Amino acid sequence: MNWFGGCAPGGRSLVPAGVRFIWDDPPLWTVGAGSRRFVRTLADSGGRLAVFGPCSATEGDLARALASPDLAAVFGGGWAGAHTIVRAGSDGVLEVVSDAAGGSPVYMARVPGGVVWGSSSRALAGLAGGRVDTDWLAAYLCDVQGEMRGHSAWAGVDLVPAGHQLIMHSGEVARVSPWWTRKRRPYGEAVASLRDALVEGVRARAAGAPVSSDVAGLDSSTLAVLAALEGPVMGMTVHPAGAAEGGDVAYARALAQELSAMRHVLFPLDERHLPLSEAEAELPATDEPAPSSITWARCSAQLRAISQAGAACHLTGDGGDTLFQPPPTHLSELARAGQWGRLVADAQAWALLRRVSPWGLVRAAVRRNTFALVGGGGQRPAWVTAAAPDRRTLPAVESTSNSALLAEVRYVARSAHTEQQLADSLGVELHNPYLDGRVVDAVMSAPPRERCSVSRYKPLLADAVGPLLPQAVRHRRTKGVFVGEFHRGMRMNLRRVLDLAEGRLAGLGLVTPGPLRAAVHAAALGAETAWPALLPTLNAEMWLAAIDRAPVAGWHERRRGSSGR
């Protein structure tokens, strides 16, 4: 697994096995064969600077950041990509600036006499006993997007919140403070900012590596087009075996005809790739449950195909639906502003789309009930025990359309990091440009009521990059749906899934097997299934099995003055 980390200056020097040092004192390192491609460093008499992750900053930008009295303010989220910035000053202070969206997460573990931080919570867990945080896991089973309040999935390992700055000296944490706040821009400025963030974010990744991209709906195909501006790109379309016509395939072929730099390939899916099937590659251990755990048979096979085709850098459209097709939480903003005519009109349009009563949406907007506007969530599933909190019973915290979107984006970005860890195991760089901090900053700067529309498909994205896209992409409105594959996978692998229901979560007292088995049987029969509740439970069970097979990293004390290599 590729990751990076270091120690607080002036404290204990603890390092894991297999490190490659970047700095000697305080220690700063990378781990993993592919961990150095996106590492940039700069040093002068005043200190040292390192940037981890794809980043559009020029050498001049890095020099200004190194010299600035306020590290976060000098770049202010203006660099495209997903990255973590580290600065060590001559005064013995170490600053770590986390990504605004959370696509490059930062964790820390306090140890006697020091602090160790890094980009992998599972690696840091070796310093704290390697125990899963059952409170975190219980909350996850109820609401994957719920507020974890700085906790990670591992006991004794804290998550530095996205958009925060970690400052350390004398072996201690001096403070953790926010550096990113939502900006407000007129719609036209937000559109221009989004366009620049996407173009530069893809360019920062595509330089120096063979690139591939998913080609399905508008989001992934847009990334393929942007990558083709930089050079050749392999576009891959997944489709059911025996159905190599129509749908995503026909659309992708039309795009390939317009895009000379794109080589189009097909990846057919058969019964071996159904969700919950056994994969040829064992599921790797990750920082927390990965959304693709139950589809690992398909994902691992596709990643192998990407690697065998010679592509090292693969772009996905993950996060695009979250950002550009959000639920109508803006209705609460209309209610707060007293725009009753617009509120009723929008509620009626969304109700028609959802096939519900518009007055329920109006009531939810007036009461600022974000759960209802999102379409549910926060309710404890029937099989999850009382050890997991029902978020409806927790103290009320006012949620706005902005806070709801940000919470979802940061969950998706953090979980996308686990997907990158899965891909690492097969030698493929996985990138999610829609989850870059600067992209999220641009989207959230637009007025909430203008970010989504019933009458236009993903208007913000279309307005930002539409002029750059061929007609085949510009007019795409849908993408392939694979919900039926989940029912088939459940039915084909029923015995294996029922065994999961009697597994480690039940042993921890977090799940009651009977109701979970009933939900599994119903899904196997094709009944309407609450997949957003069921899938996290199965993912968590598979994650627990994976981490049992792969012990956390071992650590050792490093003597001061020893070699930095």
Side-chain angles (χ1 to χ4, degrees):
M1 183 173 64
N2 299 317
W3 66 285
F4 57 87
C7 300
R12 291 180 66 189
S13 183
L14 293 165
V15 297
V19 301
R20 297 176 63 190
F21 287 98
I22 295 174
W23 299 338
D24 186 47
D25 187 21
L28 183 72
W29 63 74
T30 63
V31 178
S35 59
R36 296 299 290 263
R37 188 166 97 84
F38 291 110
V39 179
R40 299 172 63 186
T41 61
L42 186 67
D44 64 17
S45 58
R48 293 161 291 179
L49 182 81
V51 179
F52 297 91
C55 179
S56 66
T58 65
E59 293 303 308
D61 292 332
L62 298 183
R64 284 187 288 275
L66 179 57
S68 173
D70 188 339
L71 175 59
V74 75
F75 76 93
W79 298 348
H83 42 262
T84 300
I85 302 167
V86 182
R87 183 172 71 173
S90 57
D91 56 358
V93 174
L94 185 74
E95 302 165 84
V96 182
V97 181
S98 69
D99 179 78
S104 180
V106 176
Y107 302 91
M108 63 177 174
R110 291 178 170 87
V111 298
V115 177
V116 184
W117 63 273
S119 62
S120 169
S121 60
R122 177 174 166 267
L124 294 182
L127 295 168
R131 294 174 292 106
V132 172
D133 186 329
T134 53
D135 289 339
W136 184 96
L137 192 56
Y140 171 89
L141 294 176
C142 265
D143 185 359
V144 296
Q145 297 173 24
E147 175 58 58
M148 302 303 180
R149 300 188 184 280
H151 294 289
S152 78
W154 299 89
V157 180
D158 296 329
L159 170 68
V160 176
H164 280 61
Q165 187 173 19
L166 170 65
I167 298 179
M168 296 168 281
H169 65 77
S170 304
E172 298 179 348
V173 174
R175 69 177 185 273
V176 178
S177 56
W179 68 264
W180 181 86
T181 56
R182 174 179 171 259
K183 303 175 181 65
R184 291 174 174 81
R185 299 183 179 97
Y187 184 77
E189 290 183 17
V191 164
S193 180
L194 174 59
R195 181 188 307 114
D196 290 345
L198 284 173
V199 170
E200 293 181 21
V202 171
R203 179 181 296 134
R205 293 166 167 91
V211 178
S212 62
S213 176
D214 293 333
V215 180
L218 174 64
D219 304 329
S220 58
S221 300
T222 295
L223 298 180
V225 172
L226 297 182
L229 297 176
E230 307 303 318
V233 58
M234 180 184 76
M236 178 173 283
T237 302
V238 173
H239 67 94
E245 303 294 335
D248 287 345
V249 174
Y251 163 79
R253 283 175 174 156
L255 173 61
Q257 290 176 356
E258 295 192 51
L259 206 62
S260 59
M262 190 180 86
R263 176 171 65 92
H264 184 227
V265 299
L266 298 177
F267 186 78
L269 302 175
D270 55 36
E271 289 191 348
R272 296 170 301 168
H273 305 122
L274 286 172
L276 295 159
S277 297
E278 288 278 6
E280 292 183 11
E282 195 170 68
L283 180 70
T286 51
D287 285 349
E288 60 185 75
S292 289
S293 296
I294 66 168
T295 57
W296 181 234
R298 164 188 166 177
C299 292
S300 59
Q302 183 182 0
L303 289 167
R304 285 183 186 277
I306 290 168
S307 179
Q308 291 168 1
C313 169
H314 186 70
L315 306 177
T316 85
D318 287 355
D321 287 345
T322 301
L323 283 175
F324 305 118
Q325 202 171 19
T329 52
H330 73 287
L331 296 178
S332 63
E333 311 292 332
L334 296 175
R336 183 182 291 109
Q339 297 186 20
W340 305 112
R342 170 78 185 273
L343 170 61
V344 171
D346 278 18
Q348 288 176 329
W350 281 96
L352 183 64
L353 184 66
R354 288 184 169 184
R355 299 180 182 178
V356 298
S357 166
W359 304 116
L361 294 178
V362 171
R363 282 194 299 271
V366 171
R367 296 172 182 174
R368 300 177 189 176
N369 184 345
T370 303
F371 283 150
L373 293 174
V374 168
Q379 181 178 357
R380 185 190 303 122
W383 54 86
V384 177
T385 67
D390 185 332
R391 292 185 61 78
R392 297 175 304 172
T393 66
L394 299 179
V397 177
E398 183 176 348
S399 178
T400 66
S401 57
N402 288 322
S403 62
L405 177 59
L406 186 60
E408 183 174 4
V409 164
R410 286 179 169 170
Y411 159 70
V412 173
R414 198 182 71 244
S415 64
H417 185 67
T418 66
E419 305 286 290
Q420 293 168 355
Q421 292 176 329
L422 294 179
D424 275 351
S425 70
L426 297 176
V428 176
E429 290 177 7
L430 198 66
H431 294 279
N432 316 95
Y434 290 115
L435 299 170
D436 288 355
R438 186 173 164 191
V439 170
V440 173
D441 177 84
V443 171
M444 294 202 62
S445 71
R449 69 198 68 173
E450 297 182 16
R451 290 199 294 251
C452 62
S453 170
V454 176
S455 58
R456 289 187 66 201
Y457 184 68
K458 300 186 177 181
L460 191 57
L461 179 62
D463 290 342
V465 297
L468 302 177
L469 306 180
Q471 183 176 356
V473 178
R474 199 161 51 244
H475 298 296
R476 176 70 164 174
R477 293 293 179 270
T478 59
K479 61 183 176 181
V481 178
F482 294 89
V483 174
E485 301 300 299
F486 282 86
H487 288 290
R488 288 184 59 214
M490 194 75 76
R491 186 162 55 252
M492 293 286 293
N493 299 283
L494 183 57
R495 173 46 53 195
R496 180 171 185 245
V497 184
L498 290 175
D499 288 343
L500 293 176
E502 305 277 356
R504 292 163 175 80
L505 290 172
L508 292 171
L510 298 178
V511 161
T512 303
L516 180 54
R517 288 170 64 91
V520 168
H521 275 295
L525 291 172
E528 185 174 348
T529 301
W531 294 113
L534 182 56
L535 295 184
T537 301
L538 300 178
N539 282 330
E541 187 65 46
M542 297 179 74
W543 174 70
L544 289 171
I547 63 176
D548 279 354
R549 294 191 299 265
V552 294
W555 293 72
H556 64 273
E557 191 103 27
R558 178 170 172 270
R559 296 190 308 273
R560 291 191 180 278
S562 62
S563 172
R565 300 252 174 213

